[in-house]
Amino acid sequence: MILELVLADGTRVPLVREMTIGRAPDSTLRLDDPAVSRHQARISVFADRVVLADMGSSYGTWLDGQRLTDPAVLRDGSRLRVGNHELIVERRRDEAEAGRTIVVPTGRPETSRFGGHPRVRSGYALKRLEASEGERRWVLRDMEADRFLQMSDADAELFQLLDGRRSLAELLVEAERLEGAAGPARLVRLLAELADRGLLSGAAGEASVDGADVGVLRRLARPREKTWAGAGALFERLYRRGGWRLLTRPALAAIAVLSVAGLAVFPYLVAGRYGTPFVVAQHIGLGALIFMIGRFAIVAVHETAHGLVTASFGRRVRRAGFKLVLIFPYAFVDTSEAWFEPRRRRIAISAAGPVSDLSLGAVFSVCCLALPAGTTRDIFFQLAFAAYLGAFFNLNPFSNRDGYQILVDVLREPGLRKRAREQLFMRLSGRHVPGDSRLLVAYGIAGLVWTAIAACFAVGISLRYQSRLTELAPEPVVWAALGLVWVALFLPVAVMLGRPLRERRRSREA
């Protein structure tokens, strides 16, 4: 394994023989910095290790944040600080392997405008994933808007040219040299996408559009968040203090067996004892309260599972909190760091929440099965129902929840929902684009049908509670509230069908 020393300007120095670092002319790596001693440090290369030692420097040599007092072994990812210079040790990687994350922190506001000399603004992170991730294995993260963009090798090569030193004409020539005849078109598409996302210096992206220019429905649907930035440290502590035991092979095997058993026990409870999972409808007071308290507790465990698995892969949850979409509350943890991990790890992070729901549902179901008839048994049944309802909701592949993220990674189709809706819109409006993906169209149709069925199901459930609600509020108020909920449920279906069909009719009239 060959290690390399990466300097601040990107220069890579292979560590294949003994070298010295210092300000003296005879140093192997000479650093012109008054804070660096004439003979600062020595790196010795052995058959099985590379060792760093301080040479009695005035201000010390620092390794991974600790001042070096004795020789220490260098590893992939080690960080050295000598004077005002930070040097990174990296293992030489093959092109098929994942690379290290390149982070360009947010700096001073850029003043140049997109057009003459395009330049990517600061405040982003770029990482190359392993070759098994497929064609779009580069991940670009906008650290300001916290959004992600996946790119191919060719896109990433062009992206790294956008440093402001080349004019647009020079970039087009370089793109054609690198990518052939398709290069200029690829460059234009990349520039347009980066500009739309506000990632080009001086280009206002979608995130900077004033709220007054956004439709009323989109403003109403915009999530309102209350976040906590210290969640990452909490999940890391939980993982170190015992949470890791839940992710060992024996524990995962036990969770799998328990989850399968629960999927057999709960249907038996419904068919053999209760006849319906909606026992809470007959207990609108205490029963509903228990259901809601249990649901919040299950959500807390669900999000904790996401956080623990994220921490197990060395990634940090940046924030957590509550989100309000229309009138519906959600809890969330920000696991967006998972985009810098291989596909199998992203799937594991996404699946952690639903697996916790299924596990809790199984525990509550088994307890309900073992208990005699009575209030306690009913409580456990309602808790089991709350857990399975959460698993069903989160595994739904047509909403932006865990099931959707898993499906995106399994199918290797980034932006699945958006692209599927665009293709479905084109089909319904009567426009057929060459190269349409049958998979995307099928997903778009399935999502539309699912949304309609789910809305009808929700209407049926709400009618079941109508008589109970009229005991708590005047009947006209209850019907008015239910009517607003029904409109909100069917509104997405009306929008998805109405716009393209209206455009189709207009094109025929024209």
Side-chain angles (χ1 to χ4, degrees):
M1 179 180 68
I2 297 179
L3 296 178
E4 296 179 323
L5 196 61
V6 185
L7 310 187
D9 62 358
T11 302
R12 309 179 76 89
V13 181
L15 300 179
V16 293
R17 60 178 61 88
E18 182 175 293
M19 63 180 295
T20 56
I21 303 173
R23 192 162 39 86
D26 60 346
S27 298
T28 311
L29 176 61
R30 185 181 179 187
L31 299 176
D32 188 13
D33 180 356
V36 175
S37 297
R38 288 178 54 79
H39 298 96
Q40 176 81 28
R42 175 183 290 107
I43 296 178
S44 303
V45 180
F46 300 95
D48 58 344
R49 65 191 187 281
V50 178
V51 177
L52 173 70
D54 185 74
M55 298 175 67
S57 61
S58 301
Y59 299 104
T61 301
W62 298 74
L63 177 62
D64 295 329
Q66 301 292 325
R67 184 163 183 168
L68 202 63
T69 54
D70 297 306
V73 176
L74 295 178
R75 296 179 174 84
D76 184 25
S78 295
R79 291 180 175 271
L80 286 64
R81 177 164 288 281
V82 290
N84 296 315
H85 296 264
E86 184 174 73
L87 314 175
I88 301 173
V89 177
E90 287 189 2
R91 175 174 58 85
R92 182 178 294 174
R93 283 169 164 76
D94 184 82
E95 282 299 311
E97 291 186 88
R100 287 197 167 273
T101 305
I102 302 170
V103 179
V104 180
T106 303
R108 294 177 298 180
E110 308 283 1
T111 56
S112 62
R113 300 295 297 175
F114 167 51
H117 289 70
R119 176 171 53 181
V120 179
R121 66 160 170 78
S122 58
Y124 70 85
L126 180 66
K127 182 179 177 64
R128 185 189 70 200
L129 301 179
E130 57 193 36
S132 61
E133 291 294 309
E135 180 187 353
R136 298 165 67 88
R137 64 174 179 144
W138 288 81
V139 178
L140 175 67
R141 176 183 179 183
D142 180 353
M143 298 171 66
E144 293 183 2
D146 204 19
R147 293 187 296 181
F148 291 79
L149 173 66
Q150 289 182 284
M151 300 187 297
S152 65
D153 287 335
D155 289 333
E157 192 171 21
L158 295 176
F159 175 85
Q160 294 177 64
L161 298 176
L162 305 178
D163 54 9
R165 294 185 295 179
R166 299 172 179 85
S167 68
L168 186 56
E170 291 171 332
L171 285 172
L172 291 171
V173 172
E174 187 68 11
E176 186 171 6
R177 185 186 70 80
L178 292 172
E179 306 298 335
R186 181 184 289 276
L187 174 67
V188 170
R189 285 196 302 271
L190 178 63
L191 287 172
E193 189 158 17
L194 294 174
D196 287 343
R197 293 170 178 263
L199 279 164
L200 285 183
S201 174
E206 296 172 355
S208 62
V209 177
D210 189 81
D213 297 329
V214 181
V216 175
L217 292 178
R218 296 183 71 178
R219 285 204 302 272
L220 289 174
R222 182 177 294 164
R224 294 163 177 80
E225 297 182 356
K226 183 68 175 178
T227 61
W228 173 43
L234 173 63
F235 289 127
E236 288 170 3
R237 286 198 301 272
L238 288 175
Y239 177 76
R240 290 195 305 268
R241 295 179 182 179
W244 61 271
R245 298 179 185 276
L246 296 172
L247 302 177
T248 59
R249 288 184 180 273
L252 292 175
I255 289 171
V257 171
L258 178 64
S259 299
V260 172
L263 292 175
V265 173
F266 186 73
Y268 167 76
L269 293 173
V270 173
R273 292 189 176 180
Y274 290 94
T276 172
F278 301 103
V279 180
V280 68
Q282 279 74 43
H283 305 279
I284 195 71
L286 181 60
L289 179 62
I290 293 171
F291 181 87
M292 294 304 297
I293 292 174
R295 186 75 198 101
F296 281 121
I298 291 164
V299 167
V301 175
H302 174 106
E303 301 302 334
T304 301
H306 284 309
L308 285 178
V309 176
T310 302
S312 74
F313 295 134
R315 295 290 176 181
R316 168 167 280 210
V317 171
R318 297 182 62 250
R319 59 199 178 95
F322 295 95
K323 183 186 298 184
L324 187 68
V325 181
L326 294 176
I327 60 172
F328 304 104
Y330 299 94
F332 72 94
V333 294
D334 180 2
T335 59
S336 57
E337 290 282 342
W339 281 105
F340 288 138
E341 291 297 318
R343 188 168 61 99
R344 62 185 180 278
R345 290 189 173 186
R346 296 198 301 268
I347 293 174
I349 291 172
S350 298
V355 167
S356 75
D357 294 337
L358 294 173
S359 303
L360 290 176
V363 170
F364 295 141
S365 296
V366 171
C367 291
C368 179
L369 182 66
L371 290 169
T375 302
T376 304
R377 190 180 79 175
D378 291 345
I379 289 174
F380 274 104
F381 182 78
Q382 290 172 188
L383 292 175
F385 175 52
Y388 284 122
L389 186 66
F392 176 79
F393 173 74
N394 285 292
L395 285 173
N396 176 12
F398 301 111
S399 62
N400 193 17
R401 304 293 295 175
D402 302 323
Y404 170 74
Q405 301 299 338
I406 294 171
L407 185 65
V408 166
D409 278 319
V410 169
L411 297 179
R412 301 176 187 266
E413 290 284 355
L416 177 62
R417 292 176 67 202
K418 180 181 178 182
R419 293 163 58 215
R421 287 177 179 175
E422 289 173 351
Q423 289 213 11
L424 182 62
F425 181 91
M426 299 293 286
R427 287 285 185 96
L428 293 176
S429 60
R431 291 178 288 171
H432 294 275
V433 179
D436 276 2
S437 168
R438 291 185 178 181
L439 173 65
L440 293 181
V441 173
Y443 177 84
I445 294 173
L448 182 63
V449 172
W450 173 264
T451 304
I453 293 174
C456 292
F457 179 77
V459 169
I461 296 301
S462 64
L463 288 173
R464 184 181 181 90
Y465 287 88
Q466 184 270 332
S467 59
R468 296 286 182 176
L469 292 172
T470 52
E471 298 175 5
L472 304 175
E475 189 171 0
V477 174
V478 172
W479 283 112
L482 290 176
L484 289 174
V485 173
W486 295 344
V487 169
L489 290 171
F490 282 100
L491 190 59
V493 179
V495 171
M496 282 190 285
L497 286 175
R499 288 180 58 231
L501 294 179
R502 185 169 61 249
E503 184 171 316
R504 185 175 193 144
R505 187 190 63 188
R506 287 176 178 174
S507 62
R508 284 181 175 178
E509 292 175 352

